[in-house]
Amino acid sequence: MAFMRSTEVPAGLAPILLPGEKLVTAVRAHWGKLAEPVATTLLGLIAAVWVDSNVTKATQALGTIFWWLFFALLARLLWCLLDWSHNWFVATDKRLLLRYGLISHKVAMMPLLKVTDMSYVRSIPGQFLGYGKFVLESAGQDQALREVKWVPNPDQTYRDICAEIFHIVPPPGDEDFEELDGEFPDDTGQPGGPTPPVSPIAPSGGSAYPDVHRTHNPIQDRLDSYSRAVPIQRPSDRSETVYESDDLKRRRRGADTGPISPRSDD
């Protein structure tokens, strides 16, 4: 089994990755895929040795046939090993890729944006040996990447891909994601800055809502910059400060009507 969770690109995968594309995970098929060819070759060897040790002059041709069958099984095993070493299931920050083929190299690809559903199935042998099958659903009708079998460590691989699809940042201190430490931008927009500040409405000595941060409303900021209101204090309660604009002051004073003429009785 080959399992990678670093930015190191395995040999043979560099030609299919785009410049600047970040590698999320790259896995070969589980070693359980080779269990059947290995077991078949061993049984063929045992059968050929047993027949050859009990062969007679009349059955000498039968022993030769069994040895040729063993050599055919051995050649099949070598082919399966080479094919296994060239097959990769790759997930990047942009795509899911399946590279396969020994003589003719083939690549099946699906963009992450088109993945509508991704699940995996673990059979009883897969639960004991540690492999599973991924089933991918896409919005399109025809998709080159539908099933990925013999995925090693499917639980962790599934979490890695889902975290990339939904842009989920792992919590600080996770040993599997130490390379993400220090990626919060600072005031200049460069990585390595401090952690975003907590909400200013929280009381001193701690944050009542650690997940709530102050947000900026551009429309409200623009309206606040246009306001000409000045703070005043009501006589009844000097501790309460309100804001009153000039037009409200004029309306409260009322217009100057001048002197009132005496009323004459006709």
Side-chain angles (χ1 to χ4, degrees):
M1 176 187 69
F3 181 70
M4 297 191 60
R5 299 184 63 204
S6 63
T7 57
E8 180 184 356
V9 179
L13 295 183
I16 66 174
L17 297 181
L18 300 175
E21 195 171 14
K22 186 183 72 172
L23 183 65
V24 176
T25 182
V27 294
R28 284 197 181 103
H30 191 268
W31 58 265
K33 184 179 181 180
L34 302 174
E36 183 271 327
V38 171
T40 305
T41 304
L42 289 177
L43 291 176
L45 176 61
I46 294 173
V49 171
W50 184 84
V51 171
D52 187 67
S53 61
N54 295 277
V55 73
T56 62
K57 291 184 179 180
T59 60
Q60 187 175 3
L62 184 61
T64 304
I65 293 175
F66 269 82
W67 278 112
W68 280 110
L69 288 175
F70 165 71
F71 290 138
L73 293 174
L74 182 61
R76 175 175 174 265
L77 176 60
L78 294 176
W79 176 270
C80 292
L81 285 173
L82 293 175
D83 183 69
W84 173 84
S85 64
H86 284 77
N87 289 6
W88 286 92
F89 175 54
V90 181
T92 69
D93 57 340
K94 300 293 189 299
R95 304 175 293 165
L96 297 176
L97 302 104
L98 182 63
R99 181 187 181 275
Y100 61 98
L102 182 57
I103 298 178
S104 298
H105 295 176
K106 303 176 183 179
V107 177
M109 185 270 293
M110 178 183 293
L112 288 181
L113 296 177
K114 290 191 175 182
V115 178
T116 58
D117 182 47
M118 185 180 71
S119 59
Y120 68 92
V121 181
R122 298 190 69 176
S123 60
I124 295 179
Q127 296 179 22
F128 284 101
L129 299 179
Y131 67 86
K133 179 180 71 172
F134 279 31
V135 181
L136 306 174
E137 297 290 341
S138 176
Q141 297 295 331
D142 298 330
Q143 51 192 55
L145 192 57
R146 165 67 179 174
E147 292 184 353
V148 183
K149 301 179 180 180
W150 302 100
V151 178
N153 199 1
D155 294 334
Q156 186 61 53
T157 305
Y158 180 80
R159 289 195 297 266
D160 291 343
I161 297 176
C162 287
E164 190 64 35
I165 292 176
F166 297 107
H167 305 286
I168 298 176
V169 179
D174 194 333
E175 297 179 355
D176 296 331
F177 297 92
E178 291 181 354
E179 67 273 8
L180 294 177
D181 294 341
E183 288 192 1
F184 289 107
D186 55 9
D187 296 336
T188 61
Q190 299 297 328
T195 306
V198 298
S199 173
I201 64 175
S204 60
S207 174
Y209 305 96
D211 295 334
V212 179
H213 303 286
R214 184 177 185 273
T215 58
H216 295 279
N217 189 338
I219 299 179
Q220 187 62 40
D221 293 343
R222 181 67 61 85
L223 293 176
D224 293 342
S225 65
Y226 291 158
S227 176
R228 294 186 177 88
V230 294
I232 63 173
Q233 291 184 350
R234 294 180 178 177
S236 60
D237 187 3
R238 293 295 181 180
S239 62
E240 181 182 0
T241 302
V242 296
Y243 288 82
E244 188 175 20
S245 58
D246 295 336
D247 56 344
L248 293 179
K249 289 181 180 180
R250 291 192 298 269
R251 189 178 303 173
R252 182 167 52 84
R253 290 196 304 265
D256 188 6
T257 58
I260 301 176
S261 59
R263 179 179 179 183
S264 58
D265 296 334
D266 295 337

